[in-house]
Amino acid sequence: YSLTVTGRSTWKNVVTKTYTITKAPSVVTVTPEPLSLTYTGASQTLIAAGDAIGGTLLYSLDNSSYQTTLPTRTAAGSYTVYYKVQGDHNHKDTEAKTVTVTIAKKAITISGVTAQDKVFDRTTVATLAYDDVVYGGIVNGDALTITAKGTFADANVGTNKQVTITALTLGGTSIANYQLAAEGQQTTTTAAITPKGIEDATIAGIP
C-alpha cells in the first residue's frame, strides 16, 4: 500500500511512503487423527477430519495431489496421510504434516479340515484334505487357501482315531488382507488306520 502526504500552506512537499501488510500464518486448530480400522472389503475413510483458521485444510496420500475430501483406502496396510492448510487472501499456506494410519488385517477362523484314512505304515503322519474348509469371517468374493500338518495320536490300527491339526498357514490371492485369529481354530479331526494286507506286509518286511 502507498500513503501520500501533501503539504499545505507553507509546507509544499509531497511525501510518499510504501507499506506492506504481510499475510498472517494460518493455523491447524484440530489435528486430523487416524481412525481405528480393520479390513472389511469396502473403502474406508482413513482419518477424522481436522480444522483450521485462515484457510482450507487439504489432504493427500502422495504429498502432491491435495484435495478437501478425506482420503480412503480398502486394502489392509499402513498409509501416510499428508495434510496442510491452503491459506486464504490474508493467511499463508502451512507446511505439510503427516499422520500414519493402519488398516489391520481381518482375523478369521478355520474349520472343516478333514483327514484321510490310511493303511498302517508305522508312522503317525496324517494327510489332510481341505475341500470342505470354511473360512469364518471371509469377505464375499475374496479367495483364501489353507495348509496344515496332521498327526495321528499313535500309529496303531483303529477307527475314528484323533488327528491333531497344527501349523495352519494361510495362502491365496487375498492373503494380504487376512490373518488367523488367535482363538477359535480347528485343532483336531478323525480318521482311520486300516490293517496292512499280508502280501504288502511281507514285501515291506513288516512282521
Side-chain angles (χ1 to χ4, degrees):
Y1 297 92
S2 295
L3 174 65
T4 300
V5 179
T6 302
R8 298 180 62 186
S9 185
T10 58
W11 298 91
K12 302 297 185 182
N13 291 340
V14 176
V15 178
T16 300
K17 293 290 185 180
T18 300
Y19 299 88
T20 300
I21 300 176
T22 59
K23 290 185 176 183
S26 51
V27 178
V28 176
T29 56
V30 178
T31 302
E33 295 291 340
L35 297 175
S36 179
L37 304 171
T38 299
Y39 173 75
T40 64
S43 180
Q44 300 184 82
T45 300
L46 296 176
I47 58 174
D51 202 358
I53 293 175
T56 303
L57 201 56
L58 303 178
Y59 309 94
S60 173
L61 287 171
D62 59 8
N63 198 24
S64 176
S65 177
Y66 279 84
Q67 56 189 10
T68 56
T69 55
L70 297 174
T72 62
R73 281 295 183 267
T74 300
S78 181
Y79 300 94
T80 298
V81 178
Y82 299 83
Y83 64 93
K84 66 180 180 180
V85 180
Q86 184 180 62
D88 57 24
H89 180 70
N90 292 316
H91 295 82
K92 300 175 183 178
D93 297 347
T94 63
E95 294 293 327
K97 294 185 178 181
T98 63
V99 57
T100 300
V101 187
T102 298
I103 299 179
K105 294 182 178 184
K106 184 175 177 62
I108 63 167
T109 57
I110 302 299
S111 60
V113 178
T114 59
Q116 297 177 1
D117 296 341
K118 75 169 187 175
V119 176
F120 173 73
D121 62 1
R122 289 185 174 179
T123 74
T124 60
V125 176
T127 300
L128 300 178
Y130 310 101
D131 296 339
D132 299 320
V133 168
V134 175
Y135 300 94
I138 191 171
V139 174
N140 187 37
D142 284 354
L144 293 172
T145 61
I146 190 71
T147 57
K149 178 181 178 182
T151 307
F152 281 99
D154 58 61
N156 300 324
V157 170
T159 59
N160 292 320
K161 296 179 67 66
Q162 179 171 296
V163 175
T164 300
I165 299 171
T166 58
L168 288 167
T169 304
L170 277 177
T173 57
S174 301
I175 179 60
N177 294 316
Y178 292 93
Q179 61 186 354
L180 291 169
E183 298 179 349
Q185 306 299 341
Q186 180 183 357
T187 57
T188 62
T189 187
T190 59
I193 299 179
T194 59
K196 194 172 187 68
I198 295 176
E199 297 83 358
D200 294 334
T202 301
I203 293 173
I206 298 176

